[in-house]
Amino acid sequence: MKAKARKKTTAPGAVSTNAVGRANLLAVEDEQDLLDLLQYNLTRDGFNVRTASSGESALKQIREEQPELVVLDLMLPGMDGLEICRILKRDPTTRHIQIVMLTAKGEEVDIVAGLELGADDYVVKPFSPRVLSARIKAVLRRRAAEAQATDEVVYRVGELTMDTSRHEVRVSGERVDLTHTEIGIVQVLARRPGHVLTRAQIVQSVQGDHVAVTDRSVDVHVVSLRRKLGGAGAYLQTVRGVGYRLEES
């Protein structure tokens, strides 16, 4: 049986207009007093708010929790906000996440740099918490409106489903805990079910800023995938001397 793709009107990371106030946010700020202020005010306005005080911890949380929006300070210890924004927008698994930059760097050149890297809005310190909350809601509403005109795809192969909007793989309805690279491999194969892709083609499709994928490491990831997918791992077929394909046995 060939894989079937089911379209749905949900953009990556989108939230409905009614759910804007309950969106999951991550506030990234190295000044603890200001971080506490952000968390208090945004929680009071109905958001679910997590916090991070460094670029490295922010990236870890974003990849693990996939918030709808990140309030991002630019001047952080270690990795700065611009670099975080650049990494998130280059990664297919996080590029859908909205970013509102919050910084004391208010020169035109700074604002332009942030927006060109993919930030959805730019708020300059000092700021009004009410205005920040309103601008966050405006960004989320725009994404919700865009979702109504965007077709995303859920691929199905037997009991296995690949939801491209959620970057999520399920087997018999149960979510499978996969790494970003493993999800990328399933996604690229699910887009062309039954077709053989070479290791080089897979590498080219799933290569990201945060991970190095090589021809040889693809084989290692496939072994891990088969183990995690259980019985559905049999759909991930090896074509000797060529590469891999995704097809129901």
Side-chain angles (χ1 to χ4, degrees), residues 61-77:
Q61 286 193 60
I62 290 166
R63 287 169 176 159
E64 291 176 353
E65 300 169 12
Q66 295 281 310
E68 277 84 29
L69 184 143
V70 178
V71 180
L72 181 61
D73 184 23
L74 293 191
M75 301 174 69
L76 295 168

PDB file of all heavy atoms in Angstrom, residues 61-77:
ATOM      1  N   GLN A  61      15.745  24.697  25.364  1.00  0.00           N
ATOM      2  CA  GLN A  61      14.316  24.675  25.677  1.00  0.00           C
ATOM      3  C   GLN A  61      13.454  24.775  24.414  1.00  0.00           C
ATOM      4  O   GLN A  61      12.429  24.108  24.297  1.00  0.00           O
ATOM      5  CB  GLN A  61      13.965  25.828  26.623  1.00  0.00           C
ATOM      6  CG  GLN A  61      14.441  25.622  28.049  1.00  0.00           C
ATOM      7  CD  GLN A  61      13.803  26.617  29.004  1.00  0.00           C
ATOM      8  OE1 GLN A  61      12.597  26.662  29.152  1.00  0.00           O
ATOM      9  NE2 GLN A  61      14.622  27.426  29.645  1.00  0.00           N
ATOM     10  N   ILE A  62      13.868  25.633  23.493  1.00  0.00           N
ATOM     11  CA  ILE A  62      13.086  25.817  22.270  1.00  0.00           C
ATOM     12  C   ILE A  62      12.996  24.512  21.495  1.00  0.00           C
ATOM     13  O   ILE A  62      11.927  24.116  21.011  1.00  0.00           O
ATOM     14  CB  ILE A  62      13.708  26.925  21.397  1.00  0.00           C
ATOM     15  CG1 ILE A  62      13.524  28.294  22.062  1.00  0.00           C
ATOM     16  CG2 ILE A  62      13.082  26.942  20.002  1.00  0.00           C
ATOM     17  CD1 ILE A  62      14.372  29.396  21.458  1.00  0.00           C
ATOM     18  N   ARG A  63      14.106  23.808  21.355  1.00  0.00           N
ATOM     19  CA  ARG A  63      14.105  22.558  20.598  1.00  0.00           C
ATOM     20  C   ARG A  63      13.313  21.462  21.295  1.00  0.00           C
ATOM     21  O   ARG A  63      12.691  20.624  20.649  1.00  0.00           O
ATOM     22  CB  ARG A  63      15.545  22.116  20.353  1.00  0.00           C
ATOM     23  CG  ARG A  63      16.240  22.983  19.307  1.00  0.00           C
ATOM     24  CD  ARG A  63      17.721  22.736  19.247  1.00  0.00           C
ATOM     25  NE  ARG A  63      18.344  23.500  18.174  1.00  0.00           N
ATOM     26  CZ  ARG A  63      19.629  23.794  18.113  1.00  0.00           C
ATOM     27  NH1 ARG A  63      20.445  23.385  19.082  1.00  0.00           N
ATOM     28  NH2 ARG A  63      20.118  24.494  17.109  1.00  0.00           N
ATOM     29  N   GLU A  64      13.320  21.479  22.626  1.00  0.00           N
ATOM     30  CA  GLU A  64      12.605  20.451  23.367  1.00  0.00           C
ATOM     31  C   GLU A  64      11.114  20.750  23.484  1.00  0.00           C
ATOM     32  O   GLU A  64      10.281  19.842  23.413  1.00  0.00           O
ATOM     33  CB  GLU A  64      13.206  20.295  24.774  1.00  0.00           C
ATOM     34  CG  GLU A  64      14.599  19.696  24.785  1.00  0.00           C
ATOM     35  CD  GLU A  64      15.197  19.647  26.181  1.00  0.00           C
ATOM     36  OE1 GLU A  64      14.569  20.216  27.108  1.00  0.00           O
ATOM     37  OE2 GLU A  64      16.265  19.042  26.351  1.00  0.00           O
ATOM     38  N   GLU A  65      10.753  22.034  23.657  1.00  0.00           N
ATOM     39  CA  GLU A  65       9.379  22.388  24.000  1.00  0.00           C
ATOM     40  C   GLU A  65       8.591  23.020  22.853  1.00  0.00           C
ATOM     41  O   GLU A  65       7.361  23.072  22.906  1.00  0.00           O
ATOM     42  CB  GLU A  65       9.383  23.330  25.206  1.00  0.00           C
ATOM     43  CG  GLU A  65      10.023  22.702  26.440  1.00  0.00           C
ATOM     44  CD  GLU A  65      10.262  23.708  27.556  1.00  0.00           C
ATOM     45  OE1 GLU A  65       9.725  24.825  27.468  1.00  0.00           O
ATOM     46  OE2 GLU A  65      10.980  23.359  28.511  1.00  0.00           O
ATOM     47  N   GLN A  66       9.281  23.537  21.825  1.00  0.00           N
ATOM     48  CA  GLN A  66       8.608  24.121  20.667  1.00  0.00           C
ATOM     49  C   GLN A  66       7.529  25.145  21.066  1.00  0.00           C
ATOM     50  O   GLN A  66       6.343  24.957  20.781  1.00  0.00           O
ATOM     51  CB  GLN A  66       7.985  23.023  19.813  1.00  0.00           C
ATOM     52  CG  GLN A  66       8.987  22.086  19.169  1.00  0.00           C
ATOM     53  CD  GLN A  66       9.646  22.679  17.929  1.00  0.00           C
ATOM     54  OE1 GLN A  66       8.985  23.183  17.034  1.00  0.00           O
ATOM     55  NE2 GLN A  66      10.960  22.615  17.884  1.00  0.00           N
ATOM     56  N   PRO A  67       7.909  26.248  21.721  1.00  0.00           N
ATOM     57  CA  PRO A  67       6.914  27.274  22.057  1.00  0.00           C
ATOM     58  C   PRO A  67       6.387  27.950  20.804  1.00  0.00           C
ATOM     59  O   PRO A  67       7.027  27.903  19.746  1.00  0.00           O
ATOM     60  CB  PRO A  67       7.717  28.261  22.920  1.00  0.00           C
ATOM     61  CG  PRO A  67       9.123  28.113  22.419  1.00  0.00           C
ATOM     62  CD  PRO A  67       9.278  26.647  22.098  1.00  0.00           C
ATOM     63  N   GLU A  68       5.214  28.583  20.906  1.00  0.00           N
ATOM     64  CA  GLU A  68       4.688  29.310  19.756  1.00  0.00           C
ATOM     65  C   GLU A  68       5.494  30.576  19.482  1.00  0.00           C
ATOM     66  O   GLU A  68       5.644  30.979  18.330  1.00  0.00           O
ATOM     67  CB  GLU A  68       3.215  29.700  19.987  1.00  0.00           C
ATOM     68  CG  GLU A  68       2.213  28.613  19.683  1.00  0.00           C
ATOM     69  CD  GLU A  68       2.037  27.664  20.862  1.00  0.00           C
ATOM     70  OE1 GLU A  68       2.210  28.082  22.017  1.00  0.00           O
ATOM     71  OE2 GLU A  68       1.730  26.495  20.610  1.00  0.00           O
ATOM     72  N   LEU A  69       6.014  31.196  20.554  1.00  0.00           N
ATOM     73  CA  LEU A  69       6.695  32.487  20.389  1.00  0.00           C
ATOM     74  C   LEU A  69       7.799  32.637  21.423  1.00  0.00           C
ATOM     75  O   LEU A  69       7.663  32.182  22.562  1.00  0.00           O
ATOM     76  CB  LEU A  69       5.675  33.622  20.505  1.00  0.00           C
ATOM     77  CG  LEU A  69       6.169  35.051  20.257  1.00  0.00           C
ATOM     78  CD1 LEU A  69       5.095  35.868  19.528  1.00  0.00           C
ATOM     79  CD2 LEU A  69       6.536  35.750  21.561  1.00  0.00           C
ATOM     80  N   VAL A  70       8.874  33.315  21.009  1.00  0.00           N
ATOM     81  CA  VAL A  70       9.997  33.605  21.897  1.00  0.00           C
ATOM     82  C   VAL A  70      10.164  35.115  22.014  1.00  0.00           C
ATOM     83  O   VAL A  70      10.241  35.811  20.996  1.00  0.00           O
ATOM     84  CB  VAL A  70      11.313  32.990  21.368  1.00  0.00           C
ATOM     85  CG1 VAL A  70      12.479  33.350  22.281  1.00  0.00           C
ATOM     86  CG2 VAL A  70      11.181  31.478  21.234  1.00  0.00           C
ATOM     87  N   VAL A  71      10.169  35.621  23.259  1.00  0.00           N
ATOM     88  CA  VAL A  71      10.525  37.014  23.522  1.00  0.00           C
ATOM     89  C   VAL A  71      12.024  37.010  23.790  1.00  0.00           C
ATOM     90  O   VAL A  71      12.484  36.446  24.785  1.00  0.00           O
ATOM     91  CB  VAL A  71       9.756  37.579  24.731  1.00  0.00           C
ATOM     92  CG1 VAL A  71      10.150  39.028  24.978  1.00  0.00           C
ATOM     93  CG2 VAL A  71       8.254  37.466  24.508  1.00  0.00           C
ATOM     94  N   LEU A  72      12.798  37.618  22.894  1.00  0.00           N
ATOM     95  CA  LEU A  72      14.243  37.385  22.860  1.00  0.00           C
ATOM     96  C   LEU A  72      15.049  38.656  23.053  1.00  0.00           C
ATOM     97  O   LEU A  72      15.002  39.572  22.221  1.00  0.00           O
ATOM     98  CB  LEU A  72      14.598  36.750  21.513  1.00  0.00           C
ATOM     99  CG  LEU A  72      16.056  36.390  21.244  1.00  0.00           C
ATOM    100  CD1 LEU A  72      16.559  35.368  22.251  1.00  0.00           C
ATOM    101  CD2 LEU A  72      16.220  35.856  19.827  1.00  0.00           C
ATOM    102  N   ASP A  73      15.796  38.714  24.144  1.00  0.00           N
ATOM    103  CA  ASP A  73      16.757  39.797  24.342  1.00  0.00           C
ATOM    104  C   ASP A  73      17.945  39.573  23.409  1.00  0.00           C
ATOM    105  O   ASP A  73      18.330  38.437  23.137  1.00  0.00           O
ATOM    106  CB  ASP A  73      17.216  39.805  25.805  1.00  0.00           C
ATOM    107  CG  ASP A  73      18.151  40.964  26.124  1.00  0.00           C
ATOM    108  OD1 ASP A  73      18.111  41.979  25.392  1.00  0.00           O
ATOM    109  OD2 ASP A  73      18.928  40.850  27.094  1.00  0.00           O
ATOM    110  N   LEU A  74      18.512  40.654  22.904  1.00  0.00           N
ATOM    111  CA  LEU A  74      19.655  40.512  21.999  1.00  0.00           C
ATOM    112  C   LEU A  74      20.984  40.413  22.737  1.00  0.00           C
ATOM    113  O   LEU A  74      21.883  39.684  22.322  1.00  0.00           O
ATOM    114  CB  LEU A  74      19.706  41.686  21.015  1.00  0.00           C
ATOM    115  CG  LEU A  74      18.579  41.793  19.992  1.00  0.00           C
ATOM    116  CD1 LEU A  74      18.933  42.828  18.938  1.00  0.00           C
ATOM    117  CD2 LEU A  74      18.299  40.457  19.340  1.00  0.00           C
ATOM    118  N   MET A  75      21.119  41.144  23.817  1.00  0.00           N
ATOM    119  CA  MET A  75      22.408  41.217  24.523  1.00  0.00           C
ATOM    120  C   MET A  75      22.439  40.175  25.636  1.00  0.00           C
ATOM    121  O   MET A  75      22.094  40.435  26.786  1.00  0.00           O
ATOM    122  CB  MET A  75      22.621  42.634  25.059  1.00  0.00           C
ATOM    123  CG  MET A  75      22.620  43.679  23.952  1.00  0.00           C
ATOM    124  SD  MET A  75      22.686  45.389  24.550  1.00  0.00           S
ATOM    125  CE  MET A  75      24.354  45.425  25.219  1.00  0.00           C
ATOM    126  N   LEU A  76      22.851  38.963  25.257  1.00  0.00           N
ATOM    127  CA  LEU A  76      22.897  37.840  26.182  1.00  0.00           C
ATOM    128  C   LEU A  76      24.341  37.383  26.376  1.00  0.00           C
ATOM    129  O   LEU A  76      25.168  37.560  25.486  1.00  0.00           O
ATOM    130  CB  LEU A  76      22.076  36.670  25.627  1.00  0.00           C
ATOM    131  CG  LEU A  76      20.568  36.887  25.486  1.00  0.00           C
ATOM    132  CD1 LEU A  76      19.958  35.756  24.664  1.00  0.00           C
ATOM    133  CD2 LEU A  76      19.905  36.977  26.846  1.00  0.00           C
ATOM    134  N   PRO A  77      24.642  36.785  27.517  1.00  0.00           N
ATOM    135  CA  PRO A  77      25.992  36.240  27.695  1.00  0.00           C
ATOM    136  C   PRO A  77      26.206  35.044  26.778  1.00  0.00           C
ATOM    137  O   PRO A  77      25.286  34.259  26.517  1.00  0.00           O
ATOM    138  CB  PRO A  77      25.990  35.809  29.173  1.00  0.00           C
ATOM    139  CG  PRO A  77      24.554  35.598  29.509  1.00  0.00           C
ATOM    140  CD  PRO A  77      23.794  36.599  28.706  1.00  0.00           C
TER     141      PRO A  77
END
